[in-house]
Short mmCIF file of all heavy atoms in Angstrom, two decimals:
data_model
loop_
_atom_site.label_atom_id
_atom_site.label_comp_id
_atom_site.label_asym_id
_atom_site.label_seq_id
_atom_site.Cartn_x
_atom_site.Cartn_y
_atom_site.Cartn_z
N VAL A 885 100.19 76.72 45.58
CA VAL A 885 100.84 75.42 45.25
C VAL A 885 102.19 75.81 44.56
O VAL A 885 102.17 76.44 43.50
CB VAL A 885 100.07 74.55 44.37
CG1 VAL A 885 100.82 73.26 44.01
CG2 VAL A 885 98.73 74.15 44.97
N PHE A 886 103.30 75.42 45.23
CA PHE A 886 104.61 75.73 44.72
C PHE A 886 105.37 74.38 44.38
O PHE A 886 105.37 73.52 45.23
CB PHE A 886 105.43 76.59 45.72
CG PHE A 886 104.65 77.83 46.09
CD1 PHE A 886 104.01 77.87 47.29
CD2 PHE A 886 104.69 78.92 45.29
CE1 PHE A 886 103.36 79.03 47.69
CE2 PHE A 886 103.97 80.09 45.65
CZ PHE A 886 103.32 80.15 46.88
N VAL A 887 106.06 74.41 43.26
CA VAL A 887 106.71 73.20 42.81
C VAL A 887 108.17 73.44 42.49
O VAL A 887 108.55 74.47 41.90
CB VAL A 887 106.04 72.64 41.52
CG1 VAL A 887 106.77 71.37 41.03
CG2 VAL A 887 104.63 72.32 41.78
N LEU A 888 109.02 72.56 42.97
CA LEU A 888 110.47 72.64 42.65
C LEU A 888 110.93 71.31 42.18
O LEU A 888 110.80 70.27 42.81
CB LEU A 888 111.25 72.99 44.02
CG LEU A 888 112.80 72.84 43.94
CD1 LEU A 888 113.38 73.77 42.89
CD2 LEU A 888 113.39 73.02 45.33
N GLU A 889 111.41 71.35 40.94
CA GLU A 889 111.95 70.14 40.35
C GLU A 889 113.48 70.37 40.09
O GLU A 889 113.83 71.47 39.59
CB GLU A 889 111.34 69.80 38.96
CG GLU A 889 109.89 69.37 39.11
CD GLU A 889 109.27 68.90 37.81
OE1 GLU A 889 109.91 69.10 36.76
OE2 GLU A 889 108.19 68.31 37.82
N TYR A 890 114.24 69.38 40.47
CA TYR A 890 115.76 69.67 40.41
C TYR A 890 116.53 68.34 40.34
O TYR A 890 115.94 67.30 40.63
CB TYR A 890 116.18 70.48 41.66
CG TYR A 890 116.06 69.73 42.90
CD1 TYR A 890 117.15 69.03 43.51
CD2 TYR A 890 114.87 69.69 43.64
CE1 TYR A 890 117.02 68.36 44.73
CE2 TYR A 890 114.69 69.03 44.82
CZ TYR A 890 115.74 68.37 45.40
OH TYR A 890 115.62 67.65 46.58
N TYR A 891 117.73 68.43 39.94
CA TYR A 891 118.74 67.41 39.94
C TYR A 891 119.82 67.81 40.95
O TYR A 891 120.22 69.02 41.02
CB TYR A 891 119.35 67.13 38.60
CG TYR A 891 118.44 66.58 37.55
CD1 TYR A 891 117.77 67.39 36.66
CD2 TYR A 891 118.17 65.20 37.57
CE1 TYR A 891 116.91 66.88 35.72
CE2 TYR A 891 117.32 64.71 36.58
CZ TYR A 891 116.62 65.51 35.67
OH TYR A 891 115.79 65.02 34.75
N LEU A 892 120.35 66.86 41.71
CA LEU A 892 121.44 67.16 42.61
C LEU A 892 122.67 67.64 41.89
O LEU A 892 122.98 67.18 40.81
CB LEU A 892 121.78 65.90 43.47
CG LEU A 892 120.67 65.43 44.44
CD1 LEU A 892 121.15 64.18 45.12
CD2 LEU A 892 120.31 66.54 45.45
N ASP A 893 123.43 68.58 42.59
CA ASP A 893 124.62 69.05 41.86
C ASP A 893 125.71 68.09 41.85
O ASP A 893 126.72 68.27 41.18
CB ASP A 893 125.16 70.36 42.57
CG ASP A 893 125.43 70.15 44.01
OD1 ASP A 893 125.20 69.06 44.54
OD2 ASP A 893 125.92 71.13 44.67
N THR A 894 125.57 66.91 42.61
CA THR A 894 126.50 65.86 42.58
C THR A 894 126.55 65.15 41.17
O THR A 894 127.46 64.42 40.86
CB THR A 894 126.29 64.80 43.64
OG1 THR A 894 124.85 64.45 43.60
CG2 THR A 894 126.58 65.36 45.02
N LEU A 895 125.57 65.45 40.35
CA LEU A 895 125.54 64.98 39.00
C LEU A 895 126.71 65.38 38.18
O LEU A 895 127.43 64.62 37.60
CB LEU A 895 124.20 65.27 38.31
CG LEU A 895 124.03 64.77 36.87
CD1 LEU A 895 124.10 63.29 36.76
CD2 LEU A 895 122.69 65.33 36.33
N TRP A 896 126.84 66.73 38.19
CA TRP A 896 128.03 67.27 37.39
C TRP A 896 129.31 67.03 38.06
O TRP A 896 130.44 66.85 37.44
CB TRP A 896 127.83 68.74 37.09
CG TRP A 896 128.04 69.70 38.26
CD1 TRP A 896 127.11 70.21 39.08
CD2 TRP A 896 129.28 70.27 38.76
NE1 TRP A 896 127.69 71.05 40.06
CE2 TRP A 896 129.03 71.09 39.84
CE3 TRP A 896 130.60 70.12 38.30
CZ2 TRP A 896 129.95 71.77 40.52
CZ3 TRP A 896 131.61 70.79 39.00
CH2 TRP A 896 131.28 71.64 40.14
N LYS A 897 129.38 66.93 39.39
CA LYS A 897 130.58 66.66 40.12
C LYS A 897 131.05 65.22 39.80
O LYS A 897 132.24 65.00 39.59
CB LYS A 897 130.38 66.91 41.64
CG LYS A 897 130.14 68.31 41.98
CD LYS A 897 129.82 68.50 43.46
CE LYS A 897 129.52 69.95 43.81
NZ LYS A 897 129.13 70.07 45.23
N GLY A 898 130.13 64.26 39.87
CA GLY A 898 130.45 62.89 39.50
C GLY A 898 130.95 62.77 38.05
O GLY A 898 131.89 62.05 37.77
N ALA A 899 130.23 63.49 37.19
CA ALA A 899 130.64 63.50 35.81
C ALA A 899 132.01 64.07 35.53
O ALA A 899 132.85 63.52 34.77
CB ALA A 899 129.61 64.20 34.90
N LEU A 900 132.32 65.13 36.27
CA LEU A 900 133.65 65.73 36.16
C LEU A 900 134.72 64.87 36.63
O LEU A 900 135.80 64.67 36.03
CB LEU A 900 133.69 67.04 36.95
CG LEU A 900 135.01 67.80 36.92
CD1 LEU A 900 135.43 68.20 35.54
CD2 LEU A 900 134.93 69.03 37.82
N LEU A 901 134.50 64.15 37.77
CA LEU A 901 135.46 63.24 38.33
C LEU A 901 135.74 62.00 37.36
O LEU A 901 136.77 61.60 37.16
CB LEU A 901 134.95 62.71 39.74
CG LEU A 901 135.79 61.61 40.35
CD1 LEU A 901 137.23 62.18 40.71
CD2 LEU A 901 135.19 61.10 41.67
N PHE A 902 134.60 61.56 36.79
CA PHE A 902 134.73 60.47 35.84
C PHE A 902 135.56 60.80 34.65
O PHE A 902 136.43 60.07 34.14
CB PHE A 902 133.31 59.98 35.42
CG PHE A 902 133.33 58.88 34.43
CD1 PHE A 902 133.52 57.56 34.80
CD2 PHE A 902 133.13 59.15 33.06
CE1 PHE A 902 133.56 56.53 33.84
CE2 PHE A 902 133.17 58.14 32.11
CZ PHE A 902 133.36 56.82 32.49
N VAL A 903 135.27 61.99 34.04
CA VAL A 903 135.97 62.43 32.82
C VAL A 903 137.46 62.65 33.12
O VAL A 903 138.32 62.27 32.33
CB VAL A 903 135.33 63.73 32.28
CG1 VAL A 903 136.16 64.29 31.15
CG2 VAL A 903 133.95 63.43 31.79
N VAL A 904 137.74 63.31 34.26
CA VAL A 904 139.19 63.58 34.59
C VAL A 904 139.94 62.25 34.77
O VAL A 904 141.02 62.07 34.26
CB VAL A 904 139.32 64.42 35.82
CG1 VAL A 904 140.67 64.50 36.35
CG2 VAL A 904 138.73 65.87 35.55
N CYS A 905 139.32 61.37 35.55
CA CYS A 905 140.07 60.09 35.77
C CYS A 905 140.17 59.22 34.48
O CYS A 905 141.10 58.52 34.23
CB CYS A 905 139.24 59.27 36.79
SG CYS A 905 139.38 60.04 38.46
N LEU A 906 139.13 59.32 33.61
CA LEU A 906 139.15 58.61 32.34
C LEU A 906 140.38 59.19 31.47
O LEU A 906 141.05 58.43 30.79
CB LEU A 906 137.90 58.79 31.55
CG LEU A 906 137.77 58.16 30.22
CD1 LEU A 906 137.96 56.64 30.27
CD2 LEU A 906 136.46 58.51 29.56
N PHE A 907 140.53 60.52 31.49
CA PHE A 907 141.64 61.10 30.79
C PHE A 907 142.98 60.62 31.27
O PHE A 907 143.88 60.31 30.53
CB PHE A 907 141.54 62.62 30.86
CG PHE A 907 142.69 63.40 30.31
CD1 PHE A 907 142.83 63.60 28.99
CD2 PHE A 907 143.69 63.86 31.20
CE1 PHE A 907 143.83 64.30 28.40
CE2 PHE A 907 144.84 64.47 30.65
CZ PHE A 907 144.87 64.72 29.29
N LEU A 908 143.10 60.57 32.67
CA LEU A 908 144.37 60.10 33.25
C LEU A 908 144.69 58.66 32.88
O LEU A 908 145.81 58.28 32.64
CB LEU A 908 144.30 60.31 34.73
CG LEU A 908 144.13 61.75 35.27
CD1 LEU A 908 143.97 61.75 36.80
CD2 LEU A 908 145.34 62.54 34.82
N VAL A 909 143.64 57.84 32.89
CA VAL A 909 143.85 56.43 32.54
C VAL A 909 144.17 56.23 31.10
O VAL A 909 145.07 55.49 30.67
CB VAL A 909 142.60 55.60 32.93
CG1 VAL A 909 142.71 54.11 32.42
CG2 VAL A 909 142.46 55.53 34.49
N SER A 910 143.41 56.98 30.24
CA SER A 910 143.56 56.79 28.79
C SER A 910 144.93 57.18 28.29
O SER A 910 145.54 56.60 27.41
CB SER A 910 142.49 57.57 28.05
OG SER A 910 141.23 57.16 28.41
N PHE A 911 145.49 58.28 28.84
CA PHE A 911 146.73 58.84 28.35
C PHE A 911 147.89 58.45 29.30
O PHE A 911 149.07 58.82 29.11
CB PHE A 911 146.69 60.30 28.21
CG PHE A 911 145.72 60.79 27.15
CD1 PHE A 911 144.41 61.07 27.40
CD2 PHE A 911 146.22 60.88 25.85
CE1 PHE A 911 143.58 61.42 26.40
CE2 PHE A 911 145.38 61.31 24.78
CZ PHE A 911 144.00 61.62 25.11
N GLY A 912 147.65 57.64 30.30
CA GLY A 912 148.67 57.13 31.14
C GLY A 912 149.48 58.24 31.89
O GLY A 912 150.67 58.05 32.07
N VAL A 913 148.77 59.33 32.26
CA VAL A 913 149.43 60.44 32.91
C VAL A 913 150.05 60.03 34.23
O VAL A 913 151.17 60.47 34.57
CB VAL A 913 148.50 61.63 33.04
CG1 VAL A 913 149.13 62.75 33.79
CG2 VAL A 913 147.89 62.04 31.69
N VAL A 914 149.33 59.28 34.99
CA VAL A 914 149.82 58.90 36.33
C VAL A 914 149.94 57.31 36.41
O VAL A 914 149.66 56.76 37.46
CB VAL A 914 148.93 59.41 37.43
CG1 VAL A 914 148.99 60.94 37.54
CG2 VAL A 914 147.46 59.01 37.19
N SER A 915 150.29 56.69 35.32
CA SER A 915 150.37 55.26 35.31
C SER A 915 151.49 54.71 36.08
O SER A 915 151.48 53.62 36.62
CB SER A 915 150.51 54.73 33.84
OG SER A 915 151.69 55.27 33.32
N GLN A 916 152.54 55.56 36.29
CA GLN A 916 153.72 55.07 37.11
C GLN A 916 154.33 56.29 37.78
O GLN A 916 154.62 57.33 37.21
CB GLN A 916 154.69 54.39 36.21
CG GLN A 916 155.79 53.65 36.96
CD GLN A 916 156.65 52.85 36.01
OE1 GLN A 916 156.77 53.11 34.86
NE2 GLN A 916 157.25 51.76 36.53
N VAL A 917 154.55 56.15 39.12
CA VAL A 917 155.20 57.19 39.89
C VAL A 917 156.31 56.52 40.69
O VAL A 917 156.03 55.63 41.45
CB VAL A 917 154.28 57.88 40.82
CG1 VAL A 917 155.01 58.89 41.72
CG2 VAL A 917 153.15 58.62 39.99
N GLN A 918 157.57 56.91 40.52
CA GLN A 918 158.75 56.33 41.13
C GLN A 918 158.72 54.83 40.99
O GLN A 918 158.84 54.03 41.95
CB GLN A 918 158.75 56.69 42.65
CG GLN A 918 158.94 58.17 42.83
CD GLN A 918 159.04 58.58 44.33
OE1 GLN A 918 158.75 57.72 45.19
NE2 GLN A 918 159.43 59.79 44.60
N LYS A 919 158.49 54.36 39.68
CA LYS A 919 158.54 52.94 39.33
C LYS A 919 157.47 52.11 39.96
O LYS A 919 157.60 50.90 40.08
CB LYS A 919 159.94 52.35 39.67
CG LYS A 919 161.04 53.02 38.89
CD LYS A 919 162.36 52.36 39.20
CE LYS A 919 163.50 53.03 38.44
NZ LYS A 919 164.89 52.36 38.65
N GLN A 920 156.43 52.74 40.44
CA GLN A 920 155.32 52.01 41.06
C GLN A 920 154.03 52.34 40.24
O GLN A 920 153.75 53.43 39.96
CB GLN A 920 155.07 52.41 42.54
CG GLN A 920 156.24 52.04 43.41
CD GLN A 920 155.93 52.37 44.93
OE1 GLN A 920 154.91 52.89 45.19
NE2 GLN A 920 156.80 51.95 45.78
N ALA A 921 153.28 51.23 39.93
CA ALA A 921 152.04 51.37 39.08
C ALA A 921 151.06 52.15 39.92
O ALA A 921 150.71 51.69 41.10
CB ALA A 921 151.58 50.03 38.70
N THR A 922 150.52 53.23 39.42
CA THR A 922 149.49 53.98 40.13
C THR A 922 148.25 54.19 39.27
O THR A 922 147.34 54.97 39.65
CB THR A 922 150.08 55.37 40.48
OG1 THR A 922 150.51 56.04 39.24
CG2 THR A 922 151.24 55.29 41.40
N TRP A 923 148.08 53.34 38.23
CA TRP A 923 146.86 53.48 37.40
C TRP A 923 145.60 53.12 38.18
O TRP A 923 144.50 53.47 37.78
CB TRP A 923 147.01 52.60 36.12
CG TRP A 923 147.11 51.13 36.50
CD1 TRP A 923 148.30 50.43 36.61
CD2 TRP A 923 146.03 50.25 36.71
NE1 TRP A 923 147.98 49.14 37.01
CE2 TRP A 923 146.61 48.98 36.99
CE3 TRP A 923 144.63 50.35 36.70
CZ2 TRP A 923 145.89 47.82 37.25
CZ3 TRP A 923 143.90 49.21 36.92
CH2 TRP A 923 144.46 47.97 37.26
N GLY A 924 145.74 52.37 39.29
CA GLY A 924 144.52 52.01 40.01
C GLY A 924 143.86 53.12 40.67
O GLY A 924 142.61 53.02 40.87
N PHE A 925 144.51 54.23 41.00
CA PHE A 925 143.87 55.40 41.71
C PHE A 925 142.93 56.04 40.72
O PHE A 925 141.76 56.28 41.04
CB PHE A 925 144.97 56.32 42.17
CG PHE A 925 145.76 55.72 43.31
CD1 PHE A 925 147.03 55.28 43.16
CD2 PHE A 925 145.28 55.71 44.57
CE1 PHE A 925 147.82 54.83 44.11
CE2 PHE A 925 146.03 55.23 45.64
CZ PHE A 925 147.28 54.73 45.45
N PRO A 926 143.30 56.41 39.47
CA PRO A 926 142.28 57.03 38.61
C PRO A 926 141.23 56.05 38.18
O PRO A 926 140.10 56.45 37.94
CB PRO A 926 143.14 57.48 37.42
CG PRO A 926 144.42 56.71 37.51
CD PRO A 926 144.68 56.46 38.92
#
């Protein structure tokens, strides 16, 4: 009897994407590009 318990690696990938985008939104890094609002992307 062999058992494998695991979490998908998309867990850390989703967390990384969330943290990076949260950083961009919080500090307004990409809030405006060429006078166009781009905060919606992050």
Side-chain angles (χ1 to χ4, degrees):
V885 178
F886 306 100
V887 179
L888 171 61
E889 291 187 351
Y890 65 97
Y891 292 97
L892 294 178
D893 61 354
T894 48
L895 178 60
W896 73 265
K897 295 175 182 177
L900 179 62
L901 177 61
F902 178 81
V903 171
V904 170
C905 292
L906 178 62
F907 173 81
L908 296 178
V909 171
S910 300
F911 292 92
V913 178
V914 291
S915 60
Q916 193 173 24
V917 176
Q918 293 182 352
K919 298 182 179 181
Q920 294 184 356
T922 56
W923 61 268
F925 292 103

